[in-house]
Amino acid sequence: MRIVRLNQQSRTDLLSSLLKRDPNHYTEYEATVQEIIDDVRVNRDAAVFSYTSRFDHAQISAENVRVTESEIEEALSATDPALLEVIRQSLANIRSYHEKQKRNSWFDSRPDGTILGQKITPLVSVGVYVPGGKAAYPSTVLMNIIPAEVAGVPRIVMVTPPGKDGRVNPVTLAAAHLAGATEVYKVGGAQAIAALAFGTESIPRVDKIVGPGNIFVAMAKKAVYGHVSIDSVAGPSEILVLADETANPRYVAADLLSQAEHDELASAILVTTSMELAEAVSAQADRFIEQLSRKDILKKSLENYGYILVADTMEDAIAAANEIASEHLEIVTRNPFEVMTKIQNAGAIFMGEYSSEPLGDYYAGPNHVLPTNGTARFFSPLGVDDYIKKSSIIYYSREALLAAHKDIEAFAEAEGLTAHANSIRVRFEEES
């Protein structure tokens, strides 16, 4: 891995490099994605099934697009019982964590005759996109569905590309069933996003779409935003390890590579105050790469977006971490809890040498759907709040409005909105 001294120029160059990974920069896909969306919006099922045949080489129709109960039973039987038990334990951890995020409606009744409050209502329907085909992503299934189930969403729809045999990966399907999906459809790509956003004869529309996907899925979610809500336009995965001389270079190298193996656009960055650690991590990463199955992806990822930044002080290292605002941030220092208090921008923070990033991906409980590409500066991890909506509650008695009506009328007239003022004034005409 390349080793660079951390200074203002290297920080600027790094941020400029990382920005190239932003899905919003891939404008060359917009026209193709929009064409698919428009086709599905007009031709509905016919377009969805045509694209599924074209891209996934699967023959799907109105008769088999929705997963049946018998297919779910087959998937459960086909999944290794030991893996099912792991999924159940992970599910329990994720549900327990998200249960603590639940909010209640509240009302504040005052002696002056006013009641103000906030009503919490779960969304009626959400669509969860899960990548599919040959791959299985049960962790993605759990992380997207469980918060919706905890929030009380009554209709949780999962879409995922089928294999060439027209079937959903059994592990993915088993996880969806255990997590609480109410419907599963065999469709993927931009056409699946369009179907969820606008509805077809076979796939009723939803109110919000969540879940990761390739660049076509990301651009499709961006294109339908406004017709439905979305969680985010997710970018490639990334990790930043903040470490001092006490860190174990073997652990740090392993953790950096755990994200670099996702794809060639993944980012793996070490920021450290120790040149000795930097050199040891670089050497260890090279050794690991030769042992790991995705070595070609790892090499390309590190060549593109792998960095080891050596800072003069921990304060400089922390400042760089806050500026980069990484999706995953590991703190491997003498006192990680103290460092954590100075972190402002990160999707998920892992503290200590035994809290490696895959712990969060699969098992600990906090959500692994996280803000990427520096958006941790203003976005949060996926959670229960993403599956609810809030309504303001306002009640004034006649006496309460009487005490305030002249102030409201003056405010409205100052803005030139005389009908606003009149709406209040007419209620007290007899007292003029």
Side-chain angles (χ1 to χ4, degrees):
M1 293 180 68
R2 79 197 86 183
I3 300 175
V4 180
R5 278 285 179 186
L6 179 64
N7 54 40
Q8 189 55 53
Q9 186 60 52
S10 62
R11 279 164 64 168
T12 300
D13 292 345
L14 173 59
L15 289 169
S16 176
S17 175
L18 293 178
L19 281 173
K20 296 174 185 175
R21 304 157 62 250
D22 188 339
N24 291 307
H25 290 179
Y26 290 84
T27 54
E28 66 267 29
Y29 298 103
E30 287 181 350
T32 300
V33 167
Q34 192 60 55
E35 182 181 334
I36 293 172
I37 290 170
D38 292 342
D39 191 6
V40 172
R41 193 171 186 179
V42 173
N43 297 305
R44 307 173 75 194
D45 268 0
V48 169
F49 302 150
S50 175
Y51 288 120
T52 303
S53 175
R54 176 179 166 187
F55 297 133
D56 299 309
H57 310 291
Q59 301 308 308
I60 299 298
S61 66
E63 286 70 39
N64 67 356
V65 66
R66 181 170 176 174
V67 168
T68 63
E69 289 295 325
S70 63
E71 286 176 299
I72 293 171
E73 290 300 323
E74 288 176 20
L76 290 168
S77 299
T79 303
D80 182 349
L83 178 57
L84 281 178
E85 189 53 40
V86 171
I87 290 173
R88 287 190 178 97
Q89 184 56 60
S90 177
L91 187 156
N93 294 343
I94 296 166
R95 177 174 286 126
S96 175
Y97 181 87
H98 287 83
E99 285 279 358
K100 294 176 176 64
Q101 296 180 344
K102 289 178 70 173
R103 299 193 190 202
N104 296 314
S105 300
W106 58 268
F107 302 92
D108 182 15
S109 180
R110 301 177 181 176
D112 64 359
T114 65
I115 299 175
L116 302 178
Q118 181 173 269
K119 183 177 183 292
I120 303 294
T121 308
L123 300 180
V124 172
S125 58
V126 298
V128 174
Y129 187 93
V130 176
K134 294 180 180 179
Y137 298 99
S139 62
T140 296
V141 174
L142 302 184
M143 293 292 183
N144 283 275
I145 291 178
I146 292 171
E149 188 261 340
V150 169
V153 177
R155 180 170 174 255
I156 304 172
V157 180
M158 189 180 90
V159 293
T160 189
K164 291 181 182 179
D165 59 0
R167 302 178 73 82
V168 174
N169 184 287
V171 177
T172 300
L173 190 51
H177 172 71
L178 294 174
T182 58
E183 303 162 38
V184 179
Y185 294 95
K186 306 167 189 175
V187 56
Q191 61 271 24
I193 301 301
L196 291 173
F198 301 110
T200 73
E201 295 92 338
S202 299
I203 307 173
R205 61 167 295 174
V206 299
D207 296 323
K208 184 168 187 172
I209 301 172
V210 302
N214 62 20
I215 189 62
F216 293 97
V217 171
M219 297 305 289
K221 287 170 67 178
K222 180 182 177 184
V224 301
Y225 177 66
H227 298 283
V228 292
S229 179
I230 63 171
D231 53 349
S232 65
V233 179
S237 189
E238 55 200 34
I239 185 172
L240 188 150
V241 178
L242 190 58
D244 61 16
E245 72 282 357
T246 66
N248 183 319
R250 187 172 172 83
Y251 295 172
V252 172
D255 293 356
L256 291 170
L257 297 180
S258 74
Q259 291 308 290
E261 77 169 340
H262 273 293
D263 61 59
E264 295 175 359
L265 293 177
S267 168
I269 300 170
L270 166 63
V271 185
T272 181
T273 52
S274 169
M275 179 60 79
E276 182 180 353
L277 177 72
E279 293 171 346
V281 168
S282 180
Q284 183 63 64
D286 290 341
R287 288 194 289 271
F288 272 141
I289 287 172
E290 296 307 315
Q291 303 169 17
L292 298 169
S293 62
R294 296 167 70 88
K295 67 173 63 178
D296 291 339
I297 292 175
L298 286 167
K299 288 179 179 178
K300 197 67 177 178
S301 172
L302 294 183
E303 178 185 329
N304 290 336
Y305 302 107
Y307 294 86
I308 297 176
L309 304 178
V310 181
D312 291 333
T313 67
M314 183 52 66
E315 287 68 30
D316 289 342
I318 291 169
N322 280 325
E323 193 168 5
I324 295 168
S326 185
E327 176 188 18
H328 306 99
L329 171 65
E330 289 188 6
I331 303 174
V332 193
T333 60
R334 183 173 285 103
N335 190 340
F337 288 89
E338 179 184 353
V339 173
M340 179 270 294
T341 65
K342 300 175 184 178
I343 296 298
Q344 296 174 313
N345 304 322
I349 302 172
F350 301 78
M351 295 186 293
E353 64 181 6
Y354 294 103
S355 303
S356 61
E357 188 280 335
L359 174 66
D361 270 354
Y362 297 114
Y363 199 76
N367 211 287
H368 78 198
V369 181
L370 303 167
T372 57
N373 287 107
T375 59
R377 291 178 293 113
F378 45 81
F379 280 149
S380 304
L382 188 74
V384 172
D385 276 359
D386 290 284
Y387 297 97
I388 63 169
K389 57 183 179 178
K390 307 160 195 171
S391 301
S392 301
I393 302 296
I394 302 168
Y395 167 81
Y396 267 52
S397 67
R398 186 181 190 283
E399 292 72 20
L401 186 60
L402 176 63
H405 80 98
K406 290 184 179 179
D407 290 344
I408 302 167
E409 291 162 23
F411 215 147
E413 286 166 355
E415 293 188 346
L417 299 176
T418 56
H420 279 62
N422 187 58
S423 172
I424 300 294
R425 187 180 296 114
V426 295
R427 286 165 167 77
F428 303 101
E429 286 175 322
E430 73 280 6
E431 300 184 18
S432 301

